[in-house]
């Protein structure tokens, strides 16, 4: 475990953990199990990872084109590849593609009350502030699902 900084933002836990060359931004209620892991698409990604674009497109519909272009499903709930309602939330579908290029992964916890952004450790405070506001909008909508 690296350095851990924790506080409150918009009434929710906000924490930063720096380790392994990454900055992990925790928002909401952390849980042990990640329900959905979205990873940034890259030219050198595996065929299996690349294939998950079709799953995002199918679940999120045409409105999810930007989400499917930016992210792949690095992990999903067992047996749930056919439907993940969270991917249809407009804040997630429209907001996550607007995250800064510093964001490599978005982990959504199984309690739908917390998420983690994995960022470059060199990310500026201004960039992080914008990413936090996008993540908060997503988190509010995820919380409404529970």
């Amino acid at each position: 475990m690296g350095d851990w900084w924790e506080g409150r933002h918009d009434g929710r836990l906000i924490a930063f953990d720096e380790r392994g060359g990454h900055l992990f931004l925790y928002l909401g209620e952390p849980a042990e199990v990640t329900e959905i892991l979205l990873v940034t698409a890259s030219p050198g990604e595996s065929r299996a990872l690349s294939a998950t674009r079709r799953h995002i497109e199918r679940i999120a519909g045409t409105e999810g084109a930007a989400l499917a272009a930016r992210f792949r499903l690095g992990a999903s709930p067992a047996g749930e590849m056919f439907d993940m309602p969270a991917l249809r939330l407009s804040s997630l579908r429209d907001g996550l593609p607007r995250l800064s290029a510093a964001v490599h992964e978005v982990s959504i916890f199984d309690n739908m009350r917390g998420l983690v952004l994995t960022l470059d450790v060199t990310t500026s405070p201004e960039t992080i502030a914008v990413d936090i506001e996008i993540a908060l909008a997503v988190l509010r909508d995820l919380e409404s699902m529970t």
Side-chain angles (χ1 to χ4, degrees):
M1 185 118 185
D3 292 327
W4 179 268
W5 303 279
E6 168 178 325
R8 307 291 293 171
H9 181 72
D10 196 33
R12 292 171 178 82
L13 169 79
I14 184 169
F16 295 91
D17 178 18
E18 182 183 341
R19 60 187 150 85
H22 295 289
L23 182 64
F24 297 88
L25 165 61
Y26 293 80
L27 193 56
E29 296 178 21
E32 289 187 30
V33 177
T34 297
E35 183 82 358
I36 300 171
L37 172 64
L38 296 166
V39 298
T40 302
S42 67
E45 66 194 12
S46 70
R47 285 178 64 133
L49 189 60
S50 182
T52 68
R53 177 182 181 146
R54 290 191 313 274
H55 295 296
I56 294 173
E57 290 171 336
R58 179 180 42 76
I59 294 166
T62 56
E63 298 89 358
L67 179 66
R70 169 85 192 267
F71 290 101
R72 302 291 183 258
L73 285 167
S76 61
E80 298 293 325
M81 188 63 85
F82 291 104
D83 191 24
M84 287 172 264
L87 296 182
R88 288 191 295 277
L89 293 172
S90 62
S91 61
L92 189 147
R93 188 186 63 221
D94 301 334
L96 294 187
R98 292 189 352 256
L99 289 169
S100 71
V103 176
H104 298 288
E105 294 181 354
V106 177
S107 302
I108 300 171
F109 294 121
D110 67 342
N111 62 2
M112 295 295 165
R113 302 189 65 75
L115 54 87
V116 178
L117 301 180
T118 303
L119 303 111
D120 290 328
V121 74
T122 59
T123 305
S124 73
E126 296 80 17
T127 298
I128 292 171
V130 172
D131 287 340
I132 287 172
E133 291 308 313
I134 293 169
L136 274 173
V138 170
L139 185 57
R140 282 190 216 74
D141 280 355
L142 287 169
E143 290 169 340
S144 72
M145 293 179 65
T146 59

